[in-house]
């Protein structure tokens, strides 16, 4: 093996990365905050496999969607099965709903999930090939309050995390009203075909609605005069959207109506929404999104199941929180308040025994067992910002005592080990 190949092997694959302690503290916090709120609102957890039968995604996400066309990791197994690493979580949840007979449970079924998803996209900041999502789905409910609940819970999670994101909303109609809109949209873009960017020329044939979503300046200019869905929505869709907006108003949740919001997945009908922040140079960073997908089950299971859901992008939220130094803050909170300092061989031997006593007493403690000098160990203790130092030297090791040092005042007292544990239990609690 050449040294160049070897070097490459020591790096993660393109678009993927390792998450180390400081980032993981943020990830855990995001998941915990989102999970606590979701559970409070009645969502139950579900874990589905990282891969599914390839056909499951093909039909349901839209054969012509970017995800199916270019971004799926599909492979043939040794047994000859065609599998796909899940590019998103909604389709697997609808599959699970039918596989586990959830239609016979009281409706709606409310589920949440967190995990890795895989898309073969061009990697860059904010965009990875393996990324984390926290998602919510309400299956078996067509009322607007379901849409509002999803949006509400996701926005509460963002708020609790201290992330201010703008909520954008739109309705993209249903089977009744969208065809007429689509027809007029196609007619409009056909007239202006030559002004479209390369990608949009391709999308025009496959999914003309996506043209509204293009960020190329020429396409943005063109869409200003394009017909707008809101003028085409049927009475039912209009009433549905109105009820969603009424809930938003009643909850005093600010939102912006964006008539061009269409989303990148084909399964949506009626409500679609996105949460976004302003990134570098005013770039719009989508941190979450979702919508209603009333026909997805028709395609997947030949059964009708009105449903709505949404997901937050954990990598993106973690990046925002990292820039706000959230990692350091969490690390400080996690750091134990007691530091064990040992001097000499006998004390070192006693240390491991002592640590176990402290673990049983549920007093978090850190140490640096490989260090010998008291100075060096005190320096580490000060750096960690602990409240107490616990010192054992030769004498203490022999007598079965330990010196408890208050790091702020420098006051020290020598106590038998069991008394030291009792004392610290009280002190650590009272601080
Ligand atoms: P999505 O908009 O494709 O929707 O993804 C949801 C969120 O995941 C995005 O807003 C973004 O923050 C994050 N995300 C997507 N792709 C990447 C990537 N390559 N790197 C980093 N973050 C990314 C869905 O997946 C739908 N299943 C959401 C949903 C649930 N709709 C209904 N129910």
């Amino acid at each position: 093996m050449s040294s160049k190949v070897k070097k490459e092997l020591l790096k993660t694959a393109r678009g993927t990365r390792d998450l180390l302690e400081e980032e993981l503290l943020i990830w855990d916090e995001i998941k915990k905050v989102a999970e606590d709120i979701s559970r409070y609102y009645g969502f139950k957890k579900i874990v589905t496999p990282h891969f599914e039968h390839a056909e499951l995604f093909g039909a349901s996400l839209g054969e012509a969607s970017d995800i199916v066309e270019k971004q799926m990791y599909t492979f043939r197994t040794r047994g000859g099965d065609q599998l796909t690493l899940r590019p998103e979580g909604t389709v697997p949840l609808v599959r699970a709903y039918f596989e586990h007979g959830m239609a016979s449970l009281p409706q709606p079924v409310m589920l949440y999930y967190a995990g890795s998803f895989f898309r073969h996209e061009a990697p860059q900041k904010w965009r990875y090939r393996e990324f984390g999502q926290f998602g919510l789905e309400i299956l078996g409910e067509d009322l607007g309050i379901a849409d509002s609940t999803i949006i509400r819970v996701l926005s509460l999670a963002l708020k609790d995390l201290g992330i201010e994101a703008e909520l954008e909303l739109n309705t993209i109609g249903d089977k009744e009203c969208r065809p007429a809109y689509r027809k007029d949209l196609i007619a409009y873009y056909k007239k202006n075909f030559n002004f479209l960017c390369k990608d949009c020329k391709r999308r025009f044939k496959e999914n003309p609605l996506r043209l509204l979503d293009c960020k190329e300046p020429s396409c943005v200019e063109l869409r200003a005069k394009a017909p707008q869905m809101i003028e085409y929505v049927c009475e039912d869709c209009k009433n549905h959207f109105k009820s969603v907006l009424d809930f938003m108003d009643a909850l005093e949740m600010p939102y912006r109506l964006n008539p061009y919001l269409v989303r990148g997945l084909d399964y949506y009908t009626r409500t679609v929404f996105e949460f976004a922040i302003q990134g570098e140079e005013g770039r719009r960073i989508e941190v979450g999104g979702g919508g209603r997908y009333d026909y997805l089950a028709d395609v997947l299971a030949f059964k009708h199941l009105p449903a709505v859901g949404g997901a937050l992008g954990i990598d993106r939220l973690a990046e925002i929180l990292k820039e706000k130094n959230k990692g350091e803050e969490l690390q400080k909170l996690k750091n134990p308040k007691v530091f064990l300092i040992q001097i000499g061989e006998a004390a070192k031997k006693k240390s491991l025994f002592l640590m176990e006593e402290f673990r049983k007493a549920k007093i978090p403690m850190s140490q640096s067992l490989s260090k010998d000098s008291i100075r060096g160990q005190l320096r580490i203790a000060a750096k960690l910002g602990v409240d107490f130092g616990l010192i054992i030297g030769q004498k203490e090791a022999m007598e079965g005592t330990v010196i408890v040092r208050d790091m702020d005042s420098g006051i020290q007292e020598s106590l038998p080990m069991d008394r030291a544990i009792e004392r610290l239990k009280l002190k650590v609690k009272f601080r």
Side-chain angles (χ1 to χ4, degrees):
M1 201 184 296
S2 76
S3 68
K4 189 164 170 243
V5 173
K6 259 194 177 159
K7 242 184 181 169
E8 285 304 308
L9 280 182
L10 294 180
K11 286 187 182 149
T12 53
R14 229 164 99 73
T16 67
R17 69 230 151 93
D18 299 318
L19 296 171
L20 306 183
E21 170 80 359
E22 199 175 305
E23 260 177 312
L24 281 173
L25 287 176
I26 303 179
W27 276 63
D28 290 347
E29 176 77 2
I30 294 169
K31 285 190 264 186
K32 186 173 180 329
V33 165
E35 186 160 3
D36 284 353
I37 300 172
S38 305
R39 292 196 82 89
Y40 189 86
Y41 277 81
F43 291 85
K44 300 260 167 27
K45 188 168 185 170
I46 182 167
V47 174
T48 63
H50 282 84
F51 48 79
E52 301 267 358
H53 294 295
E55 302 95 289
L56 188 74
F57 295 108
S60 49
L61 297 181
E63 294 292 353
S65 65
D66 279 355
I67 293 192
V68 174
E69 257 198 350
K70 298 187 267 180
Q71 299 175 350
M72 291 207 312
Y73 285 94
T74 298
F75 55 97
R76 188 172 287 281
T77 66
R78 284 165 200 264
D81 289 337
Q82 190 87 353
L83 301 175
T84 292
L85 292 182
R86 57 183 187 185
E88 61 95 55
T90 309
V91 171
L93 255 65
V94 173
R95 193 254 321 125
Y97 176 92
F98 289 106
E99 184 168 345
H100 302 287
M102 293 187 203
S104 59
L105 298 175
Q107 303 294 299
V109 172
M110 298 165 71
L111 300 170
Y112 73 90
Y113 53 92
S116 277
F117 296 86
F118 307 86
R119 294 182 194 172
H120 191 266
E121 302 197 69
Q124 48 180 275
K125 190 178 176 194
W126 310 106
R127 183 174 299 150
Y128 302 97
R129 290 181 171 173
E130 176 176 2
F131 58 95
Q133 275 190 5
F134 179 92
L136 295 172
E137 314 290 342
I138 299 183
L139 304 138
E141 179 57 79
D142 55 12
L143 292 177
I145 191 163
D147 311 39
S148 310
T149 304
I150 294 284
I151 297 170
R152 173 73 166 168
V153 173
L154 294 178
S155 89
L156 287 175
L158 290 170
K159 195 167 160 231
D160 276 15
L161 289 166
I163 294 176
E164 266 180 55
E166 190 186 34
L167 167 64
E168 291 188 3
L169 280 172
N170 191 22
T171 179
I172 54 168
D174 66 2
K175 269 188 178 157
E176 296 301 315
C177 50
R178 208 178 322 157
Y181 174 60
R182 212 180 122 101
K183 199 169 143 238
D184 284 4
L185 198 67
I186 291 173
Y188 171 78
Y189 277 119
K190 201 168 180 182
K191 263 196 321 213
N192 296 289
F193 190 78
N194 290 340
F195 301 106
L196 288 172
C197 73
K198 205 169 117 243
D199 271 348
C200 281
K201 282 186 174 141
R202 179 179 55 81
R203 284 190 201 124
F204 172 77
K205 280 196 213 103
E206 298 150 356
N207 187 356
L209 243 66
R210 286 303 307 277
L211 303 193
L212 297 171
D213 198 27
C214 182
K215 310 284 180 293
E216 284 296 314
S218 57
C219 298
V220 171
E221 204 182 312
L222 214 54
R223 83 174 178 199
K225 291 213 177 94
Q228 292 197 0
M229 182 69 219
I230 201 77
E231 286 153 24
Y232 291 74
V233 283
C234 60
E235 215 41 38
D236 282 353
C237 286
K238 200 179 278 171
N239 288 336
H240 192 273
F241 196 46
K242 188 174 173 303
S243 95
V244 175
L245 298 184
D246 282 348
F247 280 115
M248 295 288 112
D249 293 338
L251 292 165
E252 295 180 359
M253 284 182 64
Y255 58 83
R256 193 168 76 82
L257 292 177
N258 176 357
Y260 305 120
L261 188 68
V262 288
R263 313 252 318 121
L265 298 153
D266 277 9
Y267 52 56
Y268 291 113
T269 50
R270 295 192 166 170
T271 317
V272 286
F273 66 89
E274 274 177 15
F275 289 101
I277 60 145
Q278 294 280 322
E280 310 86 6
E281 293 158 15
R283 198 178 137 199
R284 183 179 179 277
I285 314 291
E286 183 199 321
V287 292
R292 186 160 271 286
Y293 47 94
D294 291 344
Y295 307 125
L296 179 55
D298 296 65
V299 179
L300 273 185
F302 306 107
K303 295 204 172 106
H304 192 63
L305 177 73
V308 56
L312 297 175
I314 303 179
D315 303 68
R316 296 184 183 177
L317 300 181
E319 196 71 41
I320 297 166
L321 293 179
K322 194 171 154 193
E323 280 168 17
K324 291 183 172 184
N325 289 331
K326 186 78 182 173
E328 272 173 43
E329 193 187 301
L330 290 167
Q331 187 84 64
K332 270 197 195 132
L333 284 177
K334 289 260 157 140
N335 280 344
K337 297 287 169 266
V338 180
F339 189 88
L340 174 68
I341 295 165
Q342 36 67 37
I343 311 137
E345 217 30 55
K348 240 195 223 340
K349 282 193 187 123
K350 205 88 191 195
S351 297
L352 285 172
F353 168 77
L354 191 76
M355 278 182 70
E356 189 51 19
E357 295 300 303
F358 270 71
R359 192 182 70 83
K360 281 192 209 139
K362 296 195 168 40
I363 302 175
M365 181 167 85
S366 54
Q367 34 63 36
S368 185
L369 287 183
S370 59
K371 293 264 180 307
D372 285 325
S373 86
I374 183 161
R375 274 248 212 104
Q377 293 180 69
L378 275 172
R379 210 177 305 127
I380 299 172
K383 210 168 163 196
L384 288 174
V386 299
D387 294 335
F388 297 99
L390 213 59
I391 307 168
I392 343 178
Q394 188 82 358
K395 179 166 166 278
E396 287 74 24
M398 303 269 283
E399 288 174 353
T401 57
V402 60
I403 297 168
V404 178
R405 178 191 172 98
D406 185 310
M407 296 294 284
D408 283 343
S409 64
I411 295 173
Q412 302 190 161
E413 58 180 329
S414 174
L415 294 168
M417 293 236 189
D418 49 349
R419 290 260 321 278
I421 288 176
E422 286 312 311
R423 180 69 55 91
L424 278 178
K425 248 184 174 173
L426 291 176
K427 283 195 174 172
V428 171
K429 217 189 248 162
F430 278 124
R431 280 243 156 177

